[in-house]
Each structure stands twice: as structure tokens, then as C-alpha cells.
Amino acid sequence: MIKGIRGAPDILPDETGKWQALETVARDVLDRYGYAEIRTPIFERTELFIRGIGEATDIVEKEMYTFEDRGGESLTLRPEATASLMRSFAEHNLAAKSSLVKLYLIGPMFRHERPQSGRFRQFHQVDVEAIGSPGSAVDAEVVALLHHLLEAWGLRGVELHVNSIGDPACRPRYREAFLAYLGGYRDALCPDCHVRMTKNPLRVLDCKQPGCRAVAATAPTLSGYLCDACRDHFAAVRGLLDGLKIGYEVNERLVRGLDYYTRTTFEFLNPALGSQNAVAGGGRYDGLVEELGGPPTPSIGFAIGEERILTSLAAQAEAAETPPITGVYVATAGPVDLRVAMELTQTLRRKGLRSALDLEGRSLKGQMRQANKDRFRYSLILGADELARGQVTLKDMVGGAQHEIPLAEAADRLTHLPEREIA
Ligand SMILES: [Zn+2]
Ligand SMILES: [Zn+2]
């Protein structure tokens, strides 16, 4: 039987409802902000993505599904939406309709990723673009829209990071200073970053390798090099976000290496997702349309990974249903002085741990059942013989392992064990 492609999962009938709900909410919110839907083909000329995404990017170098069609033309399945959308915008002269055009696109994108957790070869995005204005008010409204959308989906605990990456007037000075700095740390950088230094140096700032991170941590920061116009623009964006009471953190590492990206960049992170934790991100790209051969068209946009949103919502729902496994249950086996058990329980509680003991004289088996039911991470079992030797038994209620530890050290040791762990 022929199987589907890894990293390109089917969305089965019992899942499609969630996708429909997600997209219905998105359309509803986007409509309120005056955005209209555009649908472009899922494949384009390869050249569009090489110019629109940039040659020295992982997407273009390693991840595109590129093929020659029967006519010998090189075509590529879209790895992201912005280039296609801007191509269509310029080709159909949509600028003639309004000085600020608001468009969105929902659909599948394709990248040859390693299908590790959270990465797909066919994945889905909601892509949003506000085209035609350089104004800081547009940036603030776009961030507010994304914030609103995540809230409308019910996503909690996300963090907003913002930054300004300058423009062609000021970034070259920074690039020079940054390269001069990197030159002194060449040996500490990974091979990828050596390539980045020649093609796309700012991307060294978001390299995940520990050596590169250490170098980046003490590098000169872009904020010190912004020209007055960029500085004012960023201050205005932040001022508007403050006015809207949208919390954010300025993250100087939030960069995009390509020349056509300018000024505002932003990202919403869900710390609960682990290493692939960006749920949505975007920025201003005032130079992109020119790069594609069109007129100057200052624009800003963002893309949201639908899979990441659904994963976040599912994890959230699960966490809400099941309380975490934490704390210590103090159990007694046989005739044991209840005062010892009570004192130990009180000590654990004072040290900040959730703790309970049996107040009803149940059997050890009954106590263990209760400890599991109440989702305790560990139990301390007090037996008369062990206590006589100053020992108690520590049992891992998740893994099942148990061993004796000195009673006098029990409370201290338990405060240092991994308290919170989902089974
Ligand atoms: Zn690196
Ligand atoms: Zn500038």
C-alpha cells in the first residue's frame, strides 16, 4: 500500500473542524480590520523566491521544492506567501485602488524540512500584509491585529518581542561595526556563521549554536546605530503599543538579514512550545517590491503557522484538564508514630511543596492509590523498622523506583528534586 509523504500529514475528518474554526475566526477578525483575501497559485517561477526571499537563506538554499516542468521552466512550490502576494499585487497594479492595501492569504506552504516535531513539509499559514505606507501607525495596527487574533483564538501565555533593524541609511554602518567585531571571534563561530559573515552577517545574531550565541551576546547592538528617522519610527511604534496596553519586550536579537527588510520586526513566542516556539512573526519590508522589479512600496506583514497555533491550543486544553503531577505524599506503613509523619508533611509544605498525609488510617496500598489519584510526584513511606534506623523510603510515583534516604535529609532533598513533571 502506498503511503503519504512524511511531514505532509492528512487532515482527517475529526480534525477538520478545528481548522475550519481557526480560519473562520481569522477571517472574521481580519475583516474587522479591513483586510481582503487574495489567493495566489501554490507554485511560481523559481526566480521569484530566489529574489523575494534571498539567495543566502536556508529556505532558498536547502528547503525549496523546485522542479522543471514539461516545458523546461524552473518552478517552485511556494515556501512562504509574501513573495507571491507581492508579485500579484504589483502585476495587477492593486496600488491603483488605494494608497494602503490590506491583504491576507490562507493556505499551504512547502519546505523540505526534516520532519522533526513541529516542522512539516506541507504546512499552513495565515499571511497578512499591509501594503503602501511607511507610517509607524500601520506597524502598530498590524501588531495589534496579530495580538487580537491570537487572543480571539484563545491562545494564552504568548510573549511579544519587537525590534527595529534600521534601514539602508543606517544599517550599513552597523553591519561594518558588527563585521569588525566578528572578525575578532572567527574561531568561535560555527561553519554556517562563517558563510553568513560573507553573505548575510546579521543572521549570526540569531544562530542557535552556543559558541555563536556567546559571541552575539557581547556584540555591538543595532539600536546604537539607528539613524534619527529609524529611532523616531521605532519610538512611535512602541508609544502606540503602550497606548494600546499591549505588553512587549525589545529583543535586539530579532533580526532579518536581508536588505529589503527595514525597521520594525516582531514575533509572538509561546514559551510552552519548547525550541520551535515562535507562533507568528513578521516585519516591515520596504524594499521588497523594488527587489522584484516594481515601484517603491513600503509594506509590513506577518505570517502565522496554523499548525503551531493548533498545537499550542491543544497543549493548553490538555494542561487545563489535567493538573500537573507535583509534590510529595507522606505515607505510613504499619504502626508508625503519626507525629513523625505530620511533622514531615508540615516541613515539606513550609518548604513550598504540595504535600499530604493519610489522616484516615488506611492501608499502604490505599494510601498509594490516593497519592496517584491526587497526582503526587513522589511519596515518602515511613515504616517502623526504617524509622528506627533514621531512614525513610522515597518512591518515584511516575517511574516507580524507590530507595531509602535519611529522614533528616528527606525534606531538603525533595525540594531539590524535579517537582513538576507531566507523566
Ligand atoms: Zn553560528
Ligand atoms: Zn535608519
Side-chain angles (χ1 to χ4, degrees), residues 23-326:
E23 290 171 5
T24 301
V25 169
R27 288 174 201 284
D28 172 44
V29 172
L30 285 159
D31 183 59
R32 285 189 238 171
Y33 285 75
Y35 283 77
E37 185 177 12
I38 185 168
R39 300 185 187 196
T40 64
I42 62 163
F43 61 115
E44 300 269 359
R45 288 174 219 281
T46 301
E47 184 63 18
L48 174 73
F49 300 118
I50 292 177
R51 286 172 64 184
I53 300 170
E55 238 163 324
T57 56
D58 285 352
I59 295 178
V60 168
E61 281 178 350
K62 303 176 193 164
E63 295 168 3
M64 292 205 305
Y65 278 97
T66 297
F67 59 97
E68 218 172 77
D69 75 356
R70 288 171 194 279
E73 189 163 18
S74 180
L75 303 178
T76 294
L77 299 183
R78 66 181 178 201
E80 53 111 68
T82 306
S84 307
L85 198 147
M86 298 311 287
R87 192 257 323 134
S88 180
F89 171 84
E91 189 171 334
H92 302 287
N93 194 24
L94 300 184
K97 292 193 195 300
S98 169
S99 58
L100 178 61
V101 178
K102 294 174 165 183
L103 299 174
Y104 74 90
L105 182 153
I106 298 178
M109 311 291 153
F110 306 86
R111 292 184 198 175
H112 196 271
E113 300 266 15
R114 281 197 207 97
Q116 72 206 66
S117 142
R119 294 258 178 169
F120 298 98
R121 291 179 169 178
Q122 174 169 334
F123 57 99
H124 300 78
Q125 284 188 344
V126 177
D127 187 78
V128 176
E129 315 285 352
I131 309 161
S133 167
S136 50
V138 180
D139 302 38
E141 194 194 63
V142 162
V143 174
L145 157 61
L146 179 50
H147 181 262
H148 185 168
L149 200 46
L150 297 176
E151 198 178 74
W153 281 327
L155 206 65
R156 292 190 298 269
V158 290
E159 293 169 8
L160 169 62
H161 288 186
V162 298
N163 193 22
S164 174
I165 55 168
D167 64 3
C170 54
R171 199 164 44 215
R173 278 200 313 132
Y174 173 70
R175 189 184 311 239
E176 232 170 82
F178 184 54
L179 273 172
Y181 166 83
L182 287 182
Y185 294 92
R186 202 171 262 280
D187 294 344
L189 298 173
C190 73
D192 280 350
C193 281
H194 286 168
V195 178
R196 287 176 187 134
M197 276 178 73
T198 57
K199 290 184 172 174
N200 201 343
L202 263 61
R203 289 209 43 228
V204 172
L205 287 171
D206 63 1
C207 182
K208 304 275 185 280
Q209 298 294 327
C212 305
R213 292 194 78 124
V215 173
T218 54
T221 55
L222 222 160
S223 58
Y225 287 80
L226 294 181
C227 64
D228 288 347
C230 286
R231 202 185 303 272
D232 290 350
H233 188 273
F234 191 36
V237 174
R238 283 178 291 148
L240 289 166
L241 292 177
D242 291 339
L244 292 169
K245 300 197 168 50
I246 294 174
Y248 58 85
E249 199 179 294
V250 175
N251 176 357
E252 299 235 25
R253 240 174 288 296
L254 194 56
V255 292
R256 310 205 155 205
L258 301 173
D259 286 339
Y260 61 73
Y261 284 112
T262 46
R263 297 186 172 170
T264 311
T265 58
F266 56 97
E267 203 162 71
F268 280 88
L269 308 173
N270 183 356
L273 283 186
S275 65
Q276 305 290 336
N277 63 5
V279 290
R284 185 163 271 292
Y285 51 90
D286 291 348
L288 175 60
V289 178
E290 278 167 279
E291 179 67 34
L292 299 176
T297 312
S299 307
I300 181 167
F302 62 80
I304 308 166
E306 295 187 69
E307 282 83 357
R308 297 262 174 96
I309 300 293
L310 289 171
T311 308
S312 298
L313 291 173
Q316 208 171 277
E318 204 175 298
E321 275 165 24
T322 2
I325 298 175
T326 61

